[in-house]
Amino acid sequence: MLLTGYTKQIFRPECNPSFESVHCVATLDDDISEVLPFLNAVLGGTQYFSDPPQVMFHHHGRIIKVGAREIAVNALADEAEAEKILGWLKNEINQAWEDRASITPCFTGKAKPQLMEILKLLPKTNCKKCGQATCMVFAVALREGAISPDACPEIDGDNLQKLDSYLNGFDLEA
Ligand code: SF4
């Protein structure tokens, strides 16, 4: 087993302590830098950095940063959700390490949809009915896999279909 344990800390965003979601930072008991390219290959990281080694993932709308000695996760509902995601990641890390002989390590992030391609299919009225401040903010959330195209109630059927098929060409999670 590569990762034996971690110490978790939970934070509320400093800019707004009454904000509903929390952030979590786990300090790892072991240096996991060697597994990161294998973990990236298995989980499809959106960004990979070599120095210092670090990989970013998007998982059900959460952004997860995994480094040699630290895991950070944002926008969590509560501590229980943090523990669930950390437990899942610990398993994935140890499994990737165990299986590394049969995994081709990956040192790059996967391709992302183009913001302009998304934006040109949105109504661009900035009406806020989707709960986002502007169509551009909505497009960024779509690109990150945090929401799905039908969260815009104003998009017409034809463009919704085009957007769905464009985004289906990428490995996003919503
Ligand atoms: S509901 Fe649609 S048109 Fe309105 S702001 Fe959101 S993305 Fe733009």
Side-chain angles (χ1 to χ4, degrees):
M1 181 182 287
L2 180 68
L3 178 58
T4 54
Y6 50 81
T7 306
K8 163 180 98 240
Q9 283 183 286
I10 300 290
F11 304 91
R12 290 205 174 268
E14 273 178 27
C15 53
N16 187 353
S18 64
F19 200 60
E20 295 284 311
S21 67
V22 297
H23 300 333
C24 167
V25 174
T27 304
L28 310 182
D29 293 351
D30 312 274
D31 184 330
I32 63 161
S33 49
E34 282 188 62
V35 79
L36 294 180
F38 299 99
L39 190 68
N40 185 32
V42 173
L43 297 184
T46 51
Q47 284 179 283
Y48 185 89
F49 305 94
S50 299
D51 189 19
Q54 195 173 80
V55 59
M56 311 267 290
F57 302 103
H58 289 88
H59 181 67
H60 298 296
R62 318 280 181 259
I63 297 174
I64 302 175
K65 198 165 64 177
V66 184
R69 283 278 185 178
E70 188 177 280
I71 296 174
V73 191
N74 79 341
L76 293 156
D78 50 29
E79 186 168 350
E81 189 183 18
E83 195 53 54
K84 196 170 155 193
I85 290 184
L86 288 173
W88 165 74
L89 266 174
K90 181 170 177 264
N91 282 341
E92 292 291 336
I93 288 164
N94 286 325
Q95 194 63 53
W97 184 245
E98 202 173 303
D99 297 343
R100 65 191 182 283
S102 55
I103 300 170
T104 304
C106 176
F107 298 89
T108 57
K110 66 186 177 188
K112 277 187 176 187
Q114 296 292 309
L115 267 186
M116 286 305 130
E117 290 301 312
I118 296 174
L119 201 57
K120 76 183 182 193
L121 294 169
L122 293 177
K124 296 184 282 296
T125 57
N126 300 329
C127 70
K128 300 185 173 59
K129 288 183 187 169
C130 55
Q132 307 293 335
T134 63
C135 294
M136 177 57 93
V137 176
F138 185 89
V140 171
L142 268 182
R143 184 182 64 167
E144 301 303 326
I147 51 175
S148 60
D150 58 9
C152 168
E154 296 295 301
I155 191 168
D156 76 48
D158 198 29
N159 280 355
L160 180 59
Q161 225 172 23
K162 285 182 187 163
L163 197 47
D164 269 331
S165 101
Y166 176 62
L167 294 173
N168 282 343
F170 301 88
D171 184 17
L172 302 175
E173 282 193 63

